[in-house]
Amino acid sequence: MEIFMIRLLQFILAISLLVLLHEGGHFFFSKLFGVRVEKFFIFFDLGIGKWSGKLLKFKPKNSDTEYGMGWLPLGGYCKIAGMIDESFDTEQMKKPAQPYEFRSKPAWQRLLIMIGGVLVNFLLALFIYSMILFYWGDTYIASKDMSYGMKFNSEAKALGFQDGDILLGTDKRPFKDFSVDMFRDLSSATRVDLIRNGKKMSLPLPGEISLLDMLKAEPSFARPFVPAVVDTVIPNTPAEKYGLAKGDTIKAINGKAVDSQNEVTFELGRLEDMMASAKTHADSMRIRTATIVIARNKQAADYKVSHMDTVKTVLTADLKFGFAPKALNQLYEPTHVDYSFFESFPAGIKYGIAVLKGYVDDMKYVFTADGAKSLGGFGAIGSLFPASWDWYLFWKMTAFLSIILAFMNILPIPALDGGHVLFLLYEMITRRKPSENFMIKAEYVGFGILILLMVVANLNDILRWIGYM
């Protein structure tokens, strides 16, 4: 429950900040061009019965704008006079146009008002990324420095990869670190450069590998090779009870040889799948009773004695043995780059544009069956935040959400900013303004599309939560 609340608070704080500044972008350009803003709300003030849904509201003296806070923390609202939007205020549109209304302004001014929110979100993301680099710098483990190389699944091995290959880059560019960018490059590359057994070599690639399949595969297409060597024994676990010690190596689980922590994790995952179908307590205990083979080396003077121990042990309720291997930043020396205040801005801009490009490239998978299933709603977004409060990860996630919000809003869908932009561009090119009746109908269609997308995304969250997907 504590983890849920921490993630929920981070999600609400991030969304509140992003929506406030997004709507502030519309507000700024509206005021700049003399357009009246009737309401400016953070969160939705969805009314229930006679209750207006407003937690807070105030209207400064001599102001045309009512400011406030609604009760539903999923968005915000900037109601611009003389504009057809999600309020569907058609009565106002029946009255003669006033000089202070949106519809009375030149098309170029209306265009800037509509892209104001997207512009603020995108610039905000670049600013946050820049300040992250300035304050924390950039710390990562370079792919070329991962001396144990990678562990590959069967699909990757069919392409010629071998466990232990150290990945250097593709025909597109060198790899920086192990991240989704590595998979993106591999998915569309025709050549990958690597080090195998100390020798540099290249492998041909097909140039069309599904990124979604690479990321969803279990085990995944590639992941850092981690030796199955004990580094830490967790108190009050089967590992401590057995007497496992730092430096011991796991060699087999239930008769299945393992050559890495990757395979240890995979085998324990198989036990979790079996546990899900267990019908009785006896079945559960049989699954939890695991046979584990361990190699222990003892150093004595100038010689080494090695022996194998086999133990049957009852794993914890969540199928854990109770030891931890070395983390990647313990296995390899991280690379750290510091940025001065002025150096951080070009670096942050470059990073933000790369994030946007990667996100846009990945959108093509949304229109596939598997891509639709991978859509996530509020629960999926909230789960991306860390389980403990970490300002570095919070700001990095907030910047990413700001880019998503900017991109999604500029899509040419009626009811989104991009839909209004599309009609404004049509008007500027043809010198013909779409009728108000058409705009109202388009708004209804766009709003329906958005509701459908929200239902699908949040339904996916529920189905994943109950284990159906």
Side-chain angles (χ1 to χ4, degrees):
M1 187 63 181
E2 180 183 354
I3 292 175
F4 171 79
M5 290 304 299
I6 290 173
R7 283 179 167 153
L8 178 64
L9 289 173
Q10 290 179 90
F11 172 73
I12 292 176
L13 178 59
I15 290 297
S16 301
L17 174 66
L18 297 181
V19 169
L20 177 65
L21 293 176
H22 177 92
E23 300 301 338
H26 296 307
F27 183 89
F28 171 78
F29 282 104
S30 296
K31 291 294 186 180
L32 180 66
F33 299 129
V35 176
R36 181 177 294 178
V37 177
E38 297 177 350
K39 288 175 63 176
F40 187 88
F41 266 64
I42 181 70
F43 302 160
F44 291 130
D45 56 332
L46 186 65
I48 302 176
K50 294 183 179 180
W51 183 48
S52 67
K54 298 177 175 67
L55 298 179
L56 173 70
K57 66 175 181 176
F58 65 96
K59 192 173 184 179
K61 189 176 181 181
N62 301 322
S63 174
D64 297 313
T65 307
E66 179 187 33
Y67 301 89
M69 176 183 289
W71 66 273
L72 188 62
L74 299 178
Y77 187 45
C78 179
K79 188 176 189 305
I80 299 171
M83 174 184 166
I84 299 171
D85 60 11
E86 59 269 29
S87 67
F88 300 109
D89 187 359
T90 55
E91 292 303 315
Q92 183 186 64
M93 304 305 293
K94 294 177 183 178
K95 299 175 183 177
Q98 301 298 318
Y100 56 77
E101 288 187 336
F102 177 82
R103 56 180 165 166
S104 299
K105 300 300 178 181
W108 69 270
Q109 292 185 4
R110 285 180 278 139
L111 180 64
L112 286 174
I113 291 171
M114 291 317 306
I115 66 173
V118 168
L119 182 63
V120 167
N121 279 134
F122 184 62
L123 293 178
L124 174 66
L126 300 183
F127 178 75
I128 292 175
Y129 282 133
S130 299
M131 291 301 94
I132 287 174
L133 293 175
F134 170 63
Y135 188 82
W136 284 285
D138 188 15
T139 302
Y140 60 94
I141 298 171
S143 174
K144 63 182 177 59
D145 293 337
M146 294 184 179
S147 54
Y148 285 104
M150 295 285 163
K151 182 78 175 173
F152 299 93
N153 67 8
S154 57
E155 288 78 10
K157 289 178 179 177
L159 293 171
F161 289 100
Q162 293 183 12
D163 290 341
D165 285 349
I166 302 171
L167 300 183
L168 302 177
T170 66
D171 50 306
K172 295 177 173 293
R173 58 182 172 175
F175 292 136
K176 177 186 175 184
D177 56 3
F178 177 76
S179 66
V180 70
D181 290 332
M182 173 184 284
F183 289 98
R184 282 197 189 99
D185 286 354
L186 288 171
S187 68
S188 57
T190 57
R191 188 196 77 238
V192 60
D193 301 322
L194 52 87
I195 296 175
R196 179 179 295 169
N197 299 323
K199 295 180 180 180
K200 187 175 179 180
M201 60 174 292
S202 298
L203 284 178
L205 291 178
E208 293 183 358
I209 306 175
S210 170
L211 175 62
L212 197 60
D213 289 345
M214 293 171 78
L215 296 175
K216 288 181 63 177
E218 186 57 44
S220 61
F221 186 88
R223 62 273 194 214
F225 191 105
V226 178
V229 178
V230 176
D231 184 67
T232 304
V233 177
I234 302 170
N236 303 316
T237 62
E240 183 186 56
K241 180 180 179 182
Y242 170 68
L244 203 67
K246 182 174 182 175
D248 289 350
T249 302
I250 310 299
K251 304 298 290 186
I253 298 178
N254 289 338
K256 176 69 183 298
V258 293
D259 62 5
S260 62
Q261 179 63 27
N262 311 77
E263 292 196 357
V264 171
T265 303
F266 180 70
E267 288 304 315
L268 292 179
R270 288 181 58 196
L271 294 181
E272 289 180 4
D273 293 340
M274 294 168 62
M275 184 70 82
S277 60
K279 292 184 171 56
T280 66
H281 177 70
D283 291 337
S284 299
M285 289 304 298
R286 186 162 52 251
I287 294 167
R288 286 176 58 197
T289 305
T291 302
I292 299 172
V293 178
I294 297 164
R296 175 171 297 170
N297 296 319
K298 295 181 179 179
Q299 193 74 30
D302 59 351
Y303 68 95
K304 183 180 289 187
V305 176
S306 177
H307 68 270
M308 305 284 282
D309 288 336
T310 302
V311 60
K312 267 195 173 183
T313 184
V314 178
L315 303 178
T316 59
D318 57 351
L319 297 176
K320 296 293 186 293
F321 189 35
F323 79 93
K326 283 186 176 181
L328 286 180
N329 59 2
Q330 294 174 303
L331 286 172
Y332 312 111
E333 185 69 27
T335 298
H336 180 80
V337 181
D338 285 315
Y339 294 88
S340 69
F341 182 75
F342 293 106
E343 288 174 335
S344 68
F345 285 99
I349 291 170
K350 181 180 178 182
Y351 184 85
I353 291 174
V355 171
L356 175 62
K357 184 179 181 300
Y359 184 75
V360 173
D361 288 345
D362 295 346
M363 283 298 293
K364 62 187 177 185
Y365 294 105
V366 172
F367 303 103
T368 66
D370 286 340
K373 291 178 182 178
S374 69
L375 285 175
F378 300 119
I381 296 172
S383 67
L384 295 176
F385 286 94
S388 59
W389 203 286
D390 183 315
W391 283 112
Y392 170 79
L393 294 176
F394 169 81
W395 285 116
K396 199 168 185 180
M397 187 62 201
T398 300
F400 179 60
L401 289 180
S402 194
I403 282 181
I404 292 177
L405 188 60
F407 176 75
M408 295 301 293
N409 265 282
I410 205 61
L411 291 175
I413 299 174
L416 290 177
D417 296 342
H420 291 281
V421 168
L422 179 65
F423 296 134
L424 280 167
L425 291 175
Y426 168 82
E427 178 184 343
M428 294 170 74
I429 293 170
T430 65
R431 306 290 184 181
R432 295 173 56 191
K433 192 175 183 179
S435 70
E436 291 179 358
N437 185 49
F438 170 81
M439 294 293 290
I440 291 170
K441 290 180 178 178
E443 194 76 12
Y444 276 113
V445 170
F447 197 71
I449 292 172
L450 294 181
I451 293 295
L452 179 62
L453 286 174
M454 287 183 62
V455 169
V456 170
N458 287 285
L459 180 60
N460 284 350
D461 284 352
I462 295 172
L463 292 176
R464 277 190 286 266
W465 181 62
I466 63 178
Y468 188 77
M469 287 179 62

